[in-house]
C-alpha cells in the first residue's frame, strides 16, 4: 500500500539528538552529545523506600486510573512550592496540572494555541525537542538570535512586529539548551514587556532552574505575570528522575481548561506511581538538601569541563559561552574548521557532540557551533574527551 | 487578556465520562459510569516484588531516560507474544512501539495520517476518548451503525463510497466500548475487505480482548493484515494496571517511523518503571493464569449484572446487548422514557450511568441508550444499583 501521510509529519525527521543517542549506546563512545542527568543525581534510596511503602499501603491508588489533571496531592504540593519558592503560581489566575514530562507541556500549549501556519517565535538556537513539537503542528518557526545575556530584544521586537499574529514566544531563561546562556533580569523584564505589547503568549521552559552552580538565582518570567500571558513548564526529569516522566504546567485558567482536554486526548493521565514518588519525596525528604547535592555534582562536572576547554580548546580559537548552571556548554569553532566535518570526525575518535545546526529553526543556516554535555560522561571521560577534541581541531587546522 | 485558541480545541469539551468520574468520587454513588478495572484484578504482590527487585538491582535503568520506541526487552516480549498468541505481528512488515496507554496510539495514528478536515469512520456508538482525539485533529467523524454482530457492512461500504478520501476506519472488535458488542469473524473479514477496497487504514483498538467470559476467541483483524493496512492498539490498562499507563502499537514500518517521531514530540518516552514491570510480569510470572483469574472475576460480575438486568429492567421493556466479555453492558430504554432525564434522575438516586449520546459522533442525535459498567462497583452494589434503576424506570413510566 502507498501510505498517504499527514502534511504535519511528512517532512518531520527523527531528532538528530535521539538518533545520536541510539548510536552512543557504544560503550566506547564518550557521550558529550547526551542530556542525561548524572546517574548519581537520582535519589535512589528514597525512591526505593517510597515505592515499597506506597505499593504496600495503598497499591490500588498507584495502579488504578486517576484524574487527567494529575494526582491531587502532588498538584497541591506544586502549587504551594511554586508560589512560595518562585512566586510563579497565582491562585486566582492560574491552574497547575501534572504532565508526562515537560515535553508534553510544549505539546499541549501548541495544541491549544496554534493553528496550522501560525508563527512560533523562539531563541536561536533552541531545544530541538520543542522545535519538533512546534513543527508537528505545522507552525512557522522564527528564530531570534541571542546575546551573552539572552535573546536580543531589538531583534525580538522586530520579529514580533513583522509577525503580528504570532501565537507563542518560546524561551528557556535559565542555562538554555543548547547555548548554556542565562537570560539577565533586565532581559526577562524586556521579554515580558514585548510579549505584552505584541499580545503574544510566552511559553517559559525551565528544566534546569534548580541546577545553578554559580551566580544569583533570577526570578522566573512567570513571576512577573500580572497579565496572565505566561505558560510555565516545569519538570522533575533533571532533579528526581527522567525515566519517571513527570513534568507540570502552570497556565492561566482559560488556557489550562483546554490543555486538560488536550491531555485527555493524548494519554488520559500521567503514571500515578511516578506522581506519588515525586509528591512524597518533596514533602517527606530533604528536598532542598537534595537539590544542593545536585548543584555540587554539577558544579564539579561543569568546572572540570570548562577548565579542560580553557586548556585544550580556547588556545585553538574555539570559544564557549558563560555557563552558570544546567547541563550544557556551547562551543564555537573558528571559521577555518568545518563544523559538520568536525562533529563526524569526533564520532570516529569516539567522542560524540551535537552539531549546533540541529538547534536552529532552519538547519541549513551556517553554524560553527556544537553542544557539549557534562552531566552524562564520567569525570575521567570529560577530560579525555575534551583532549581528543583539541587534538582533532589541531589536526584539522594543520 | 483575550485568549485566541486554536480552532481544534475551541469547540472541544471535556469528556462527559471524565466529568462524571469526578462527581462519582462521592462514596455514596454506585459507579456504573466508570470503566475502572476491578481492584482485585491488579497483580499487586507480583508488582511489589518486581518493583523492589528492579529498584535494588538496576535503579538507574528504571530512573534514567530511555528510547522513544520503548524499553527494548518489553518490545521484544510483545513482538513474540503478539506473533505467537494472536498472529498479529509480521516481522518483515510491522514494527511495535510502547505507548503511554492505548489512548496515545489513537493520538499518534491520527497525527501521522490525518490532515485537518480528513474523514475518520467509526462505529456508532464508540469510545468517547477516541472520538475526542479525532476531534482534536479537526477530523470529520462519520459514524456507521452497528448490528448485534458488529458494524453494518452495507452502511460501511456506503459511507466509504461517499467519503473516498477517508483516512482511518476505527473499530473495537471485541466487547466494544460502549456497546459490549463483539464483531463476528465474518464481519471482521468483511471490514478488512472493505478497507482494502476503499484504500483506507484500519485502526483496531483491542483493550478488552483478553477478558472474554463466554464464547470462542476470534482472530484480530490485524491477523488478516497481508496488505499492511492495519494499525493495532493494545494496552495493559485492563490486565495489569491502568495507572501505570502502558500500551503498545503495531503498525506497518513506514507508518511507525512517523509515529515514533510523533511520540518524541509528545512525551519523549513512556515511564520506564512501568515498562519493566510489564515485561517482568509477562516473562517471569504466570501471565496466562493471571488472565484466567481476571476472566473469572469478570464472568462473575457480568453474570451478576446481566441477571439483575434480566430481573429488574427487561420486564419493563429495557433491552440490553449480548455481552461475551469486556467491562460494559449497553441498555436501551423504551420510547416512553426520556434517556437524559433517566440518567440525571439516576444520579439523584446515587446511581451513575453514562448517557449513550456521549458516544455518538453527533451528541445531538436521538439516543435511548445508556452504558453500564460492571467491573468497578462491588457485587452488592451491582444488584442494588440495577434495582434502583428498575424502580426509577417504574416511577418514570407511572
Amino acid at each position: 500500500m502507498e501510505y498517504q501521510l499527514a502534511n504535519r509529519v511528512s517532512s518531520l525527521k527523527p531528532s538528530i539528538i535521539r538518533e545520536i543517542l541510539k548510536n552512543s549506546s557504544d560503550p566506547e563512545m564518550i557521550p558529550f552529545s547526551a542530556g542525561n542527568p548524572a546517574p548519581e543525581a537520582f535519589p535512589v534510596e528514597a525512591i526505593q523506600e517510597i515505592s515499597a511503602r506506597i505499593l504496600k499501603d495503598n497499591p490500588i491508588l498507584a495502579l488504578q486510573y486517576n484524574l487527567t489533571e494529575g494526582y491531587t496531592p502532588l498538584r497541591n504540593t506544586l502549587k504551594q512550592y511554586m508560589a512560595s519558592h518562585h512566586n510563579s503560581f497565582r491562585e486566582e489566575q492560574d491552574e497547575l496540572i501534572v504532565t508526562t514530562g515537560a515535553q508534553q507541556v510544549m505539546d499541549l500549549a501548541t495544541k491549544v494555541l496554534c493553528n496550522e501556519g501560525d508563527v512560533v517565535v523562539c531563541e536561536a538556537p533552541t531545544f530541538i525537542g520543542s522545535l519538533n513539537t512546534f513543527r508537528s503542528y505545522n507552525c512557522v518557526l522564527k528564530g531570534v538570535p541571542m546575546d551573552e545575556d539572552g535573546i536580543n530584544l531589538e531583534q525580538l521586537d522586530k520579529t514580533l512586529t513583522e509577525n503580528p499574529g504570532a501565537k507563542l514566544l518560546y524561551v528557556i531563561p535559565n542555562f538554555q539548551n543548547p547555548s548554556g546562556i542565562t537570560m539577565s533580569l533586565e532581559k526577562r523584564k524586556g521579554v515580558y514587556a514585548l510579549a505584552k505589547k505584541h499580545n503574544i503568549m510566552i511559553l517559559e521552559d525551565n528544566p534546569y532552574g534548580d541546577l545553578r552552580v554559580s551566580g544569583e538565582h533570577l526570578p522566573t518570567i512567570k513571576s512577573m505575570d500580572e497579565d496572565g500571558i505566561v505558560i510555565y513548564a516545569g519538570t522533575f526529569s533533571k532533579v528526581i528522575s527522567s525515566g519517571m516522566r513527570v513534568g507540570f504546567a502552570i497556565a492561566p485558567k482559560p488556557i489550562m481548561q483546554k490543555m486538560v482536554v488536550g491531555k485527555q486526548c493524548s494519554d488520559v493521565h500521567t503514571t500515578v506511581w511516578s506522581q506519588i514518588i515525586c509528591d512524597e519525596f518533596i514533602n517527606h525528604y530533604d528536598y532542598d538538601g537534595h537539590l544542593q547535592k545536585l548543584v555540587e555534582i554539577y558544579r564539579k562536572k561543569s568546572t572540570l569541563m570548562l577548565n579542560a576547554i580553557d586548556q585544550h580548546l580556547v588556545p585553538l580559537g574555539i570559544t564557549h559561552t558563560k555557563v552558570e548552571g544546567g547541563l550544557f556548554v556551547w562551543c564555537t569553532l573558528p571559521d577555518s574548521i568545518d563544523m559538520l566535518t568536525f562533529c563526524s570526525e569526533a564520532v570516529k575518535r569516539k567522542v560524540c557532540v551535537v552539531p549546533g545546526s540541529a538547534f536552529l529553526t532552519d538547519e541549513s543556516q551556517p553554524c560553527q557551533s556544537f553542544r557539549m554535555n557534562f552531566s552524562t560522561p564520567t569525570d575521567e571521560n570529560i577530560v579525555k574527551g575534551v583532549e581528543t577534541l583539541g587534538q582533532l581541531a589541531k589536526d584539522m587546522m594543520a
Side-chain angles (χ1 to χ4, degrees), chain A:
Chain A
M1 180 165 178
E2 198 173 315
Y3 300 108
Q4 298 200 344
L5 301 175
N7 297 334
R8 71 175 73 80
V9 295
S10 55
S11 65
L12 205 61
K13 283 165 269 172
S15 114
I16 293 180
I17 294 183
R18 305 294 302 176
E19 293 304 303
I20 290 174
L21 206 71
K22 273 187 199 171
N23 299 326
S24 70
S25 62
D26 176 355
E28 301 282 297
M29 190 73 75
I30 296 179
F32 289 164
S33 55
N36 290 2
E40 62 268 32
F42 300 129
V44 171
E45 275 181 45
I47 293 172
Q48 287 167 342
E49 284 174 18
I50 299 167
S51 179
R53 194 164 59 236
I54 59 184
L55 290 174
K56 178 170 171 286
D57 293 348
N58 207 343
I60 302 308
L61 175 68
L63 301 179
Q64 187 59 276
Y65 283 117
N66 208 296
L67 298 176
T68 299
E69 290 86 344
Y71 175 59
T72 306
L74 177 60
R75 291 176 69 207
N76 291 336
T77 297
L78 285 170
K79 286 177 190 179
Q80 281 177 23
Y81 187 89
M82 292 305 295
S84 61
H85 284 62
H86 297 289
N87 191 28
S88 297
F89 180 80
R90 288 169 173 74
E91 190 75 43
E92 69 290 349
Q93 171 188 281
D94 293 322
E95 191 46 275
L96 182 149
I97 66 167
V98 180
T99 58
T100 306
Q103 186 75 39
Q104 193 176 50
V105 185
M106 313 317 150
D107 186 62
L108 296 176
T110 319
K111 182 181 282 194
V112 164
L113 289 170
C114 298
N115 288 317
E116 299 197 345
D118 277 350
V119 169
V120 174
V121 178
C122 51
E123 294 156 329
T126 193
F127 175 46
I128 189 171
S130 297
L131 286 178
N132 277 339
T133 299
F134 304 140
R135 288 180 181 126
S136 77
Y137 286 90
N138 274 339
C139 293
V140 175
L141 299 172
K142 300 285 178 186
V144 177
M146 298 175 82
D147 306 317
E148 272 185 24
D149 61 345
I151 196 164
N152 183 294
L153 292 180
E154 289 71 36
Q155 290 289 322
L156 176 59
D157 195 19
K158 184 163 172 283
T159 301
L160 292 175
T161 303
E162 287 168 358
N163 297 278
K167 284 290 180 63
L168 267 180
L169 168 56
Y170 175 68
V171 288
I172 310 172
N174 291 317
F175 331 122
Q176 201 242 18
N177 179 1
S179 71
I181 288 172
T182 297
M183 194 188 292
S184 65
L185 177 57
E186 197 188 338
K187 286 214 164 162
R188 290 172 197 232
K189 289 179 182 168
V191 164
Y192 186 84
L194 283 175
K196 191 174 167 182
K197 172 183 157 190
H198 290 282
N199 203 31
I200 186 174
M201 296 288 296
I202 296 170
L203 177 54
E204 179 179 26
D205 190 8
N206 190 21
Y208 317 109
D210 289 320
L211 305 180
R212 177 178 280 278
V213 301
S214 65
E216 291 289 309
H217 273 291
L218 294 174
T220 65
I221 300 178
K222 183 67 186 168
S223 71
M224 305 166 188
D225 191 18
E226 297 289 340
D227 305 277
I229 61 170
V230 183
I231 299 172
Y232 179 92
T235 178
F236 292 106
S237 286
K238 315 302 186 232
V239 295
I240 297 183
S241 155
S242 335
M244 280 189 181
R245 314 303 304 129
V246 183
F248 61 94
I250 304 173
K253 287 173 184 173
I255 304 284
M256 191 58 93
Q257 281 171 8
K258 296 295 182 178
M259 289 176 72
V260 170
V261 183
K263 184 167 166 64
Q264 279 180 6
C265 299
S266 295
D267 66 1
V268 187
H269 66 75
T270 295
T271 304
V272 186
W273 176 86
S274 306
Q275 296 187 66
I276 304 178
I277 298 271
C278 291
D279 186 54
E280 296 274 321
F281 185 67
I282 295 171
N283 284 310
H284 301 299
Y285 288 76
D286 179 12
Y287 188 53
D288 287 341
H290 169 72
L291 295 180
Q292 194 49 46
K293 188 190 140 198
L294 298 191
V295 166
E296 280 153 27
I297 291 171
Y298 292 126
R299 182 179 290 131
K300 187 174 165 218
K301 283 188 168 289
S302 59
T303 304
L304 201 61
M305 179 170 273
L306 288 168
N307 286 347
I309 289 173
D310 284 337
Q311 186 183 346
H312 298 288
L313 303 187
V314 169
L316 303 172
I318 299 171
T319 61
H320 66 85
T321 47
K322 189 181 169 199
V323 169
E324 296 188 335
L327 307 179
F328 304 108
V329 185
W330 182 249
C331 295
T332 303
L333 293 161
D335 289 341
S336 57
I337 297 180
D338 181 74
M339 185 274 292
L340 285 175
T341 309
F342 180 84
C343 294
S344 56
E345 287 298 317
V347 168
K348 291 182 193 160
R349 298 189 189 195
K350 300 292 185 192
V351 180
C352 207
V353 302
V354 187
S357 46
F359 304 96
L360 299 178
T361 55
D362 173 5
E363 289 187 14
S364 66
Q365 284 178 289
C367 179
Q368 281 298 98
S369 304
F370 58 93
R371 191 190 73 175
M372 305 263 282
N373 163 268
F374 51 77
S375 59
T376 312
T378 61
D379 294 353
E380 189 193 350
N381 275 339
I382 287 175
V383 176
K384 191 176 153 196
V386 175
E387 277 175 10
T388 303
L389 293 178
Q391 189 59 51
L392 171 62
K394 264 190 208 157
D395 294 348
M396 287 182 75
M397 286 165 133

